[in-house]
Amino acid sequence: MAQTEGAEKSGTRAEMREETERLILDAAEGIFAEAGFGGATMQAIADSCGLPKANLHYYFSSKEKLYRRVVERIFTIWLEAADSFDTEARPEVALRRYISRKMQLSREHRHGSKVWANEVMHGAPIVQDYLESALQVWTDTRIAVIRRWINEGLIRPVEPRWFLYMIWATTQHYADFAHQIETLNHGALDDAQWHEATETVCGILLRGIGIDPHSTGDRPA
Amino acid sequence: MAQTEGAEKSGTRAEMREETERLILDAAEGIFAEAGFGGATMQAIADSCGLPKANLHYYFSSKEKLYRRVVERIFTIWLEAADSFDTEARPEVALRRYISRKMQLSREHRHGSKVWANEVMHGAPIVQDYLESALQVWTDTRIAVIRRWINEGLIRPVEPRWFLYMIWATTQHYADFAHQIETLNHGALDDAQWHEATETVCGILLRGIGIDPHSTGDRPA
DNA sequence: AGACACCTTGACTGGTTGGTCAGGTCTGCT
DNA sequence: AGCAGACCTGACCAACCAGTCAAGGTGTCT
């Protein structure tokens, strides 16, 4: 009976295992985001997904293993979003799409962004290898693209590194500091505010590097 | 003997107490920044400043009280820096000074920024009242100033709220994500890089709202 | 039906942590 | 000198937490 937890119907063994793991990972992401690794307890995660604590240890042998899986999942989502930074498109198109996507992620994956921020803030004890491999590679290729745009005179000459950090910082801020933003806003941002914030961020960043933010790709150059 | 801890010479009772409290607060700031509230231990803080753990409890009755004092101190520094946002000066001067000051704080008070970020990310359980009072007031006055600049045609019309968040996000990113930045940079940023990053951030943000970032106040308008 | 592997869970444990306390030390005052 | 009050600290404790385990349940094969 307890095997068909919650709403999902029974499927194959593998499907059910995956389903339960996802249930735990979702709960863990929320708890780790709200309390940090040290502040989170396995009991709290167990309560959050309505499973006994011992059950968690059946699926994830240790707290650290569970945490690592949470962070890995977040990094995967982040990398997929990163693909929206199209290296072939014109800068105003590629950047606008990438920034919009990152804003969307901040809205839909607030917890994930917080866990990542926490991890990096504490010196990336778990994901140092990601920083040095995948992130390094991704960053280097994008820096090369931005350099090319500069050489072709498409954007103003800015150090690509600092510009990329500005994009990350401004977009992730809406997830990591959501509580502060919502306090100052007297409530959660509505659809219109999210749209306006995204437009403002896009507008300032694009204009900041010398692009007219309204000359999107759908008009002939 | 142990009373004149470390390097400082003995002064009055009050001076020595203040000195010891500062020693503990400095250590606590570092530990809280690196491990979060839940991950930090009183023993680690004690070791970090070379005092026995029981001594910490003599000066700060509980871990939470100590943490609160750390956060309060950070907020004070933040507010003092906020005064560099001169509401009288012209936008390019006021903004450039404020952004530069915030970048400087990110470099000199990395730990403090991290503790603040941690606190807000976890829902500001300790400093919610600051957000609702002091920060709210400060933000409202600055938004009014930016609105005035817009009405006077000094800067492009942007929602001041989102613009302010961009400033906070980009500058604090250099403290909160220092580890990520330094990993990608293969080492800490040197003086030249900090200068260049500050210039890039200022340049993009000012240009983004329609200001020529090089028309500083020291030339006649 | 029976056997087997997989899943679930309440109860338990060893280690860690925040906090206490009694007894000692030092300083400034009279 | 002698005293009072501030300061220091090793040893201790109760609470909590990650992780274990053994016993029982459930689905799926032959």
Side-chain angles (χ1 to χ4, degrees):
Chain A
M1 126 173 112
Q3 199 136 315
T4 56
E5 264 299 333
E8 78 274 10
K9 283 286 149 199
S10 57
T12 70
R13 249 5 202 278
E15 277 166 1
M16 289 195 53
R17 182 170 189 110
E18 210 167 334
E19 187 70 24
T20 308
E21 282 186 3
R22 209 181 53 76
L23 188 75
I24 296 171
L25 284 169
D26 285 346
E29 187 173 300
I31 300 294
F32 282 134
E34 297 299 335
F37 179 80
T41 68
M42 293 296 274
Q43 189 61 60
I45 296 170
D47 293 346
S48 168
C49 60
L51 260 42
K53 182 166 71 85
N55 210 336
L56 267 59
H57 277 97
Y58 176 75
Y59 285 96
F60 301 93
S61 57
S62 73
K63 183 183 178 184
E64 191 175 317
K65 287 259 177 59
L66 173 56
Y67 177 73
R68 186 184 287 269
R69 282 284 300 276
V70 169
V71 175
E72 279 170 359
R73 202 171 59 147
I74 292 157
F75 191 70
T76 302
I77 293 173
W78 190 91
L79 268 190
E80 282 168 13
D83 286 340
S84 66
F85 192 133
D86 186 346
T87 57
E88 300 304 319
R90 292 160 50 210
E92 59 268 28
V93 177
L95 290 174
R96 178 176 279 277
R97 184 181 301 145
Y98 179 54
I99 294 168
S100 300
R101 181 78 186 114
K102 286 229 73 192
M103 285 294 284
Q104 194 187 347
L105 279 188
S106 283
R107 189 177 190 187
E108 292 168 5
H109 290 272
R110 175 188 300 194
H111 290 325
S113 182
K114 284 181 179 179
V115 173
W116 179 262
N118 240 300
E119 169 69 8
V120 172
M121 264 202 299
H122 300 348
I126 307 288
V127 296
Q128 182 64 28
D129 48 332
Y130 289 123
L131 296 186
E132 291 172 3
S133 56
L135 184 59
Q136 179 85 59
V137 169
W138 187 91
T139 306
D140 286 346
T141 62
R142 267 56 183 187
I143 286 177
V145 172
I146 297 174
R147 284 243 163 76
R148 201 189 67 215
W149 288 339
I150 294 173
N151 289 337
E152 290 171 358
L154 296 174
I155 64 174
R156 289 185 49 83
V158 296
E159 172 55 40
R161 230 168 255 286
W162 319 137
F163 179 61
L164 270 182
Y165 298 162
M166 283 189 77
I167 296 177
W168 296 346
T170 47
T171 53
Q172 288 167 207
H173 185 83
Y174 282 84
D176 303 340
F177 288 77
H179 179 80
Q180 180 171 295
I181 290 174
E182 290 177 359
T183 296
L184 293 175
N185 193 56
H186 302 295
L189 270 52
D190 58 33
D191 287 348
Q193 287 175 315
W194 272 101
H195 178 75
E196 191 188 48
T198 303
E199 281 306 305
T200 304
V201 168
C202 273
I204 291 177
L205 286 177
L206 292 186
R207 224 181 282 273
I209 57 170
I211 295 178
D212 177 3
H214 294 298
S215 72
T216 42
D218 45 45
R219 303 179 201 170
Chain B
M1 128 177 108
Q3 198 135 318
T4 54
E5 263 299 332
E8 80 274 9
K9 282 288 149 199
S10 57
T12 69
R13 250 3 202 282
E15 276 167 1
M16 288 194 53
R17 181 169 192 111
E18 209 166 335
E19 187 70 23
T20 307
E21 283 185 3
R22 207 179 55 74
L23 187 75
I24 296 171
L25 285 169
D26 285 346
E29 188 173 301
I31 301 294
F32 282 133
E34 297 300 334
F37 179 79
T41 68
M42 293 296 273
Q43 190 61 59
I45 297 171
D47 292 347
S48 168
C49 59
L51 259 43
K53 182 167 71 84
N55 208 336
L56 267 58
H57 279 96
Y58 177 76
Y59 285 96
F60 301 92
S61 57
S62 74
K63 184 184 179 184
E64 192 175 317
K65 288 259 177 60
L66 172 56
Y67 178 72
R68 186 184 287 270
R69 282 285 301 275
V70 169
V71 176
E72 279 170 359
R73 202 172 60 148
I74 291 157
F75 191 71
T76 303
I77 293 173
W78 190 92
L79 269 189
E80 281 168 13
D83 287 340
S84 67
F85 193 133
D86 186 346
T87 58
E88 299 304 320
R90 293 160 49 208
E92 60 267 30
V93 177
L95 290 173
R96 179 175 278 276
R97 185 182 300 146
Y98 178 54
I99 294 168
S100 299
R101 180 78 187 115
K102 287 228 73 193
M103 285 294 284
Q104 194 187 348
L105 278 188
S106 282
R107 189 178 191 186
E108 292 168 4
H109 289 272
R110 173 188 301 195
H111 290 326
S113 182
K114 284 182 177 178
V115 173
W116 179 262
N118 241 298
E119 168 69 7
V120 172
M121 267 202 298
H122 299 350
I126 306 288
V127 296
Q128 182 64 28
D129 49 331
Y130 288 123
L131 296 186
E132 291 172 3
S133 56
L135 185 59
Q136 179 85 61
V137 169
W138 187 89
T139 306
D140 286 346
T141 62
R142 265 56 183 187
I143 286 177
V145 172
I146 296 175
R147 285 241 163 76
R148 202 189 66 214
W149 288 338
I150 294 173
N151 289 337
E152 291 173 358
L154 295 175
I155 64 174
R156 287 186 49 82
V158 295
E159 170 56 40
R161 229 169 257 285
W162 318 136
F163 179 61
L164 270 182
Y165 297 162
M166 284 188 78
I167 297 177
W168 295 347
T170 47
T171 53
Q172 287 166 208
H173 185 82
Y174 282 85
D176 302 341
F177 288 76
H179 179 80
Q180 180 171 295
I181 291 174
E182 289 178 358
T183 296
L184 293 175
N185 191 58
H186 302 296
L189 270 52
D190 59 33
D191 288 348
Q193 287 175 315
W194 272 100
H195 179 75
E196 191 188 48
T198 304
E199 281 305 304
T200 304
V201 168
C202 274
I204 291 177
L205 286 176
L206 292 186
R207 225 181 284 272
I209 57 170
I211 295 178
D212 176 3
H214 293 298
S215 71
T216 42
D218 44 45
R219 305 180 201 170

